[in-house]
């Protein structure tokens, strides 16, 4: 019983003390606030768009810019491959990495992912009002050459895949595409091929920073989806 | 020359005496309650698991604490089954088998959590804990974890106490081990809470250290129970259900033998078969008159001493060749070749 009282007191003491819960072991949030936030970026349309190593747009770039404004931080962009960036993040040379990461990413163990802040799906888009068989038997579906979607259409449906360089040119015909570009292609959602939960990566254990970022991202989903439809325009 | 207490039917159906049957039913009810409640705790912890090592350790311990109640319930259903041609000794040992499995599971999982946490500590892996959305509020997941831990730990302590009392009355090892584990659950829970609070204030290593403490506790439980269960399988001399001391029944039977003047020398060898004891009593008779009657009477008498003694074979011999209970070789009573009868 005495031990239980001790534990209860410890919980209350920690909760009531002036300190912030959770705290960063390395003080990332304190350093970034009013200071510099080092953000690793890697090209991933429509999340991060780069030109010559400088971000020109993308949903995540815009979100991070806004987050930095909230913190009063200046951003130092560092571009590189995902692996380079995650390694740097793990060692503490970066504070945040973005680039279309999803909750299924293999970097899961090397970085602290935020809660998914938006979900996207890859679907077979069909012309609105058309009635196609559920298994899409005999239907020709356009898919971007060399993308995951191309293989997924083949594996999950009986459709014939037509690889194309640019989906934008296949306007109006059945195509495997992300849900956020369907409107622009003049299609309605059909068979779902894949679901992606998008996350950003913070440094492992820097929980105050992580929680601050998650609070920023959560509750913005509508806004983010709007942004996505705009940025994702083919 | 085997004997069995008179009951209806060819075999004794119940291992337990009538007056303990209500207690047994109560124990079964408590174990069902434990099973359902622990299952809910396991699900709740799994939902809030996150990447805390201490939390993972506490979860694994809860998961493992499902085993003893399950073993107890399975064994309770099996132990009273009649012996068959295939299993001529009946099913009392099902309890021992359940016990070995439960103990091995404890040991393996303890070792796993220990090495996993030690590795994370050495490689300085820092546990990330973010926020969760609950009822439209964003809460730090750490608080939710602490709530789940308290839910999993607090009632277990009371269940443990209630079962400990029953285990004493029923002399039940599996129940006893289970009660001990539940009672000690508050230690696991406190360690895990301290670990999460540690993460909360920025001490990333507190989590792994707490997990190591928990794993040591699991390992200790596992080792203790593994030892006891292997001793059972090796037919070691019966101990009390809490393993503190040898069961007094062997001494008592030897005392009884000494009281009888038709017996020159006698020895007892008992083994545990799950909840009950079986074994042999060797006697060197002074004379052969009415030997069969006397042996039968003796067997009846010995069986009536204690309900745990389930089956006893009384064998007349010329010389006793089992070690005495203090381990010294016995001075032979008769100077003949050791020849066993009947």
């Amino acid at each position: 019983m005495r031990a239980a009282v001790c534990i209860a007191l410890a919980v209350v003491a920690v909760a009531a003390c002036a300190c912030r819960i959770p705290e960063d072991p390395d003080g990332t949030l304190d350093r970034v606030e009013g200071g510099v936030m080092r953000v690793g970026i890697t090209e991933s349309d429509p999340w991060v768009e780069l030109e010559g190593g400088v971000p020109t747009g993308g949903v995540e770039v815009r979100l991070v810019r806004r987050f930095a404004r909230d913190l009063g931080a200046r951003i130092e962009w560092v571009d590189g491959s995902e692996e380079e960036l995650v390694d740097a993040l793990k060692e503490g040379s970066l504070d945040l990495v973005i680039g279309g990461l999803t909750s299924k990413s293999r970097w899961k163990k090397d970085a602290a992912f935020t809660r998914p802040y938006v979900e996207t799906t890859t679907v077979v888009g069909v012309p609105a009002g058309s009635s196609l068989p559920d298994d899409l038997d005999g239907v020709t579906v356009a898919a971007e050459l060399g993308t995951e979607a191309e293989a997924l259409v083949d594996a999950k449906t009986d459709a014939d895949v037509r690889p194309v360089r640019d989906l934008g040119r296949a306007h109006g015909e059945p195509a495997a595409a992300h849900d956020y570009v369907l409107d622009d292609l003049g299609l309605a959602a059909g068979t779902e091929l894949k679901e992606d939960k998008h996350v950003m990566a913070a440094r492992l254990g820097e929980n105050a920073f992580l929680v601050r970022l998650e609070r920023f991202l959560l509750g913005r989903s509508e806004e983010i989806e709007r942004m996505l439809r705009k940025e994702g325009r083919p | 020359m085997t004997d069995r207490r008179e009951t209806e039917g060819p075999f004794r159906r119940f291992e337990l005496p009538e007056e303990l049957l209500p207690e047994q039913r109560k124990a079964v009810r408590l174990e069902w309650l434990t099973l359902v409640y622990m299952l809910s705790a396991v699900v709740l912890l799994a939902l809030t698991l996150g990447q805390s090592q201490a939390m993972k350790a506490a979860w694994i311990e809860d998961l493992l604490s499902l085993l003893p109640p399950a073993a107890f319930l399975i064994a309770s259903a099996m132990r009273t089954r009649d012996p068959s041609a295939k299993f001529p000794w009946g099913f009392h040992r099902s309890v021992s088998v359940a016990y070995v499995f439960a103990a091995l599971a404890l040991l393996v999982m303890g070792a796993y959590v220990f090495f996993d946490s030690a590795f994370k500590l050495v490689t300085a892996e820092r546990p990330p804990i973010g926020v969760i959305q609950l009822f439209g509020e964003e809460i730090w997941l750490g608080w939710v974890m602490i709530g789940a831990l308290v839910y999993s730990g607090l009632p277990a302590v009371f269940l443990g106490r209630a079962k400990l009392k029953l285990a004493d009355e029923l002399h039940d090892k599996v129940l006893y081990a289970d009660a001990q584990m539940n009672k000690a659950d508050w230690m696991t829970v406190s360690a895990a809470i301290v670990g999460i609070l540690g993460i909360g204030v920025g001490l990333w290593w507190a989590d792994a250290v707490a997990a190591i403490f928990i794993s040591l506790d699991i390992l200790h439980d596992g080792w203790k129970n593994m030892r006891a269960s292997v001793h059972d399988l090796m037919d070691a001399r019966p101990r009390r259900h809490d393993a503190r001391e040898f069961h007094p029944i062997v001494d008592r039977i030897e005392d009884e033998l000494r009281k009888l003047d038709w017996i020159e020398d006698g020895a007892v060898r008992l083994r545990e078969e799950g909840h009950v004891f079986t074994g042999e009593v060797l006697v060197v008779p002074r004379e052969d008159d009415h030997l069969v009657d006397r042996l039968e009477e003796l067997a009846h008498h010995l069986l009536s001493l204690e309900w745990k003694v389930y089956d006893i074979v009384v064998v007349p011999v010329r010389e006793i060749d089992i070690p005495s209970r203090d381990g010294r070789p016995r001075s032979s009573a008769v100077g003949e070749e050791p020849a066993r009868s009947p």
Side-chain angles (χ1 to χ4, degrees):
Chain A
M1 261 311 101
R2 201 179 300 159
V5 173
C6 284
I7 292 295
L9 282 178
V11 173
V12 172
V14 169
C17 79
C19 51
R20 179 176 56 204
I21 301 286
E23 185 57 87
D24 288 330
D26 262 5
T28 299
L29 185 57
D30 288 338
R31 182 170 42 75
V32 167
E33 267 179 320
V36 177
M37 179 160 68
R38 300 161 305 174
V39 182
I41 41 175
T42 193
E43 175 112 53
S44 173
D45 191 41
W47 310 97
V48 176
E49 287 154 28
L50 295 181
E51 236 163 73
V54 182
T56 53
V59 174
E60 289 182 345
V61 167
R62 289 172 58 181
L63 283 171
V64 167
R65 278 197 175 126
R66 240 197 276 164
F67 178 53
R69 201 156 54 225
D70 271 13
L71 295 179
R74 192 167 60 74
I75 302 177
E76 201 170 276
W77 302 102
V78 178
D79 79 313
S81 72
E82 247 178 56
E83 181 158 348
E84 277 174 349
L85 296 175
V86 170
D87 283 347
L89 180 71
K90 202 176 173 189
E91 297 306 324
S93 316
L94 291 176
D95 302 313
L96 183 62
V97 169
I98 54 173
L101 295 170
T102 68
S103 60
K104 290 258 177 68
S105 157
R106 43 231 102 223
W107 310 117
K108 212 174 350 189
K109 295 212 150 174
D110 300 305
F113 284 173
T114 59
R115 232 148 237 288
Y117 65 89
V118 69
E119 283 179 29
T120 62
T121 49
T122 306
V123 297
V124 175
V126 293
S130 71
S131 58
L132 294 171
D134 277 351
D135 56 1
L136 298 170
D137 195 10
V139 178
T140 303
V141 173
E144 227 167 295
L145 181 71
T147 58
E148 199 182 7
E150 187 192 344
L152 284 175
V153 172
D154 198 34
K156 294 205 169 178
T157 69
D158 293 334
D160 300 319
V161 190
R162 187 170 74 87
V164 295
R165 286 253 168 238
D166 182 7
L167 268 188
R169 294 219 203 122
H171 194 93
E173 63 177 292
H178 292 293
D179 54 352
Y180 49 82
V181 298
L182 287 178
D183 283 353
D184 293 309
L185 292 174
L187 300 172
T191 312
E192 187 177 314
L193 298 172
K194 197 187 177 216
E195 194 183 59
D196 285 311
K197 296 176 172 172
H198 287 267
V199 301
M200 297 185 186
R203 190 180 169 204
L204 276 176
E206 298 301 286
N207 290 325
F209 181 73
L210 176 70
V211 164
R212 184 67 186 265
L213 176 59
E214 285 181 318
R215 291 221 158 107
F216 169 81
L217 290 172
L218 287 172
R220 272 189 160 84
S221 49
E222 271 176 42
E223 191 185 336
I224 292 171
E225 268 162 39
R226 252 200 324 273
M227 231 189 257
L228 193 53
R229 274 195 294 277
K230 197 162 144 248
E231 293 282 343
R233 201 157 282 163
Chain B
M1 206 137 304
T2 175
D3 201 289
R4 210 172 278 121
R5 257 179 275 183
E6 291 102 319
T7 44
E8 74 293 353
F11 305 109
R12 243 179 91 198
R13 283 291 154 85
F14 298 106
E15 291 182 319
L16 290 165
E18 292 282 334
E19 65 272 18
L20 283 180
L21 286 180
E23 310 292 323
Q24 169 68 18
R25 277 195 288 271
K26 209 158 124 196
V28 168
R29 266 203 309 275
L30 270 178
E31 289 294 40
W32 272 116
L33 188 65
T34 309
L35 208 57
V36 170
Y37 161 65
M38 277 306 193
L39 211 58
S40 73
V42 163
V43 171
L44 189 65
L45 288 189
L47 288 178
T48 56
L49 208 49
Q51 293 189 51
S52 155
Q53 273 302 109
M55 192 72 179
K56 192 162 106 188
W59 181 65
I60 284 177
E61 190 165 19
D62 273 358
L63 199 62
L64 285 173
S65 58
L66 291 176
L67 280 173
F72 179 85
L73 290 172
I74 293 170
S76 294
M78 295 274 291
R79 62 197 259 203
T80 51
R81 275 203 205 168
D82 289 343
S84 62
K86 196 172 169 196
F87 296 102
W89 266 273
F91 290 84
H92 315 291
R93 277 252 160 109
S94 58
V95 179
S96 309
V97 174
Y99 194 30
V100 171
F101 274 99
L104 190 66
L106 274 177
L107 203 60
V108 170
M109 293 317 284
Y112 168 74
V113 175
F114 179 82
F115 286 113
D116 196 36
S117 307
F119 181 76
K120 294 228 156 120
L121 192 59
V122 170
T123 55
E125 214 167 279
R126 300 165 181 207
I129 302 183
V131 297
I132 187 174
Q133 255 180 328
L134 271 186
F135 316 113
E137 289 283 318
E138 288 136 26
I139 307 169
W140 186 49
L141 188 55
W143 298 125
V144 182
M145 287 172 163
I146 290 174
L149 281 169
V150 170
Y151 170 80
S152 89
L154 217 53
V157 176
F158 295 105
L159 274 175
R161 287 198 180 172
K163 283 190 283 191
L164 209 56
K165 211 176 122 246
L166 284 174
D168 277 335
E169 282 162 20
L170 291 167
H171 296 262
D172 194 304
K173 274 189 186 186
V174 179
L175 194 59
Y176 183 79
D178 181 36
Q180 285 289 342
M181 232 173 119
N182 284 161
K183 234 185 97 188
D185 216 29
W186 69 264
M187 272 191 346
T188 311
V189 164
S190 326
I193 290 177
V194 168
I196 290 165
L197 289 179
I199 298 174
V201 295
L203 306 172
W204 60 270
W205 45 264
D207 179 52
V209 170
I212 286 177
F213 273 108
I214 298 171
S215 73
L216 287 178
D217 183 49
I218 303 176
L219 271 175
H220 178 243
D221 271 351
W223 175 248
K224 218 170 55 186
N225 287 303
M226 194 71 213
R227 245 175 84 104
S229 65
V230 167
H231 279 197
D232 280 2
L233 289 186
M234 288 291 295
D235 287 347
R237 181 173 167 189
R239 282 177 174 273
R240 278 168 48 87
H241 63 284
D242 52 8
R244 273 206 300 272
E245 53 196 31
F246 288 123
H247 199 280
I249 187 66
V250 176
D251 289 348
R252 237 181 114 194
I253 292 181
E254 292 201 341
D255 285 346
E256 293 294 323
L257 295 182
R258 243 172 265 131
K259 278 190 214 153
L260 298 171
D261 49 9
W262 62 273
I263 292 173
E264 163 104 39
D265 193 9
V268 190
R269 184 161 62 181
L270 291 185
R271 68 170 83 84
E272 282 177 69
E273 288 202 13
H275 294 84
V276 294
F277 302 156
T278 63
E280 299 101 8
V281 171
L282 307 186
V283 291
V284 181
R286 279 185 213 282
E287 67 232 63
D288 287 357
D289 299 349
H290 312 293
L291 186 58
V292 176
D293 293 339
R294 279 174 164 166
L295 291 173
E296 201 172 291
E297 197 189 328
L298 177 61
H300 266 291
H301 177 61
L302 294 180
L303 279 178
S304 68
L305 288 177
E306 156 88 48
W307 65 265
K308 288 208 100 174
V309 181
Y310 181 76
D311 195 0
I312 265 194
V313 182
V314 182
V315 190
V317 293
R318 295 233 158 76
E319 191 186 1
I320 284 166
D321 60 355
I322 54 180
S324 66
R325 60 199 145 82
D326 47 17
R328 282 196 312 270
R330 215 170 263 275
S331 57
S332 56
V334 192
E336 275 176 44
E337 281 292 294
R340 283 248 223 136
S341 50

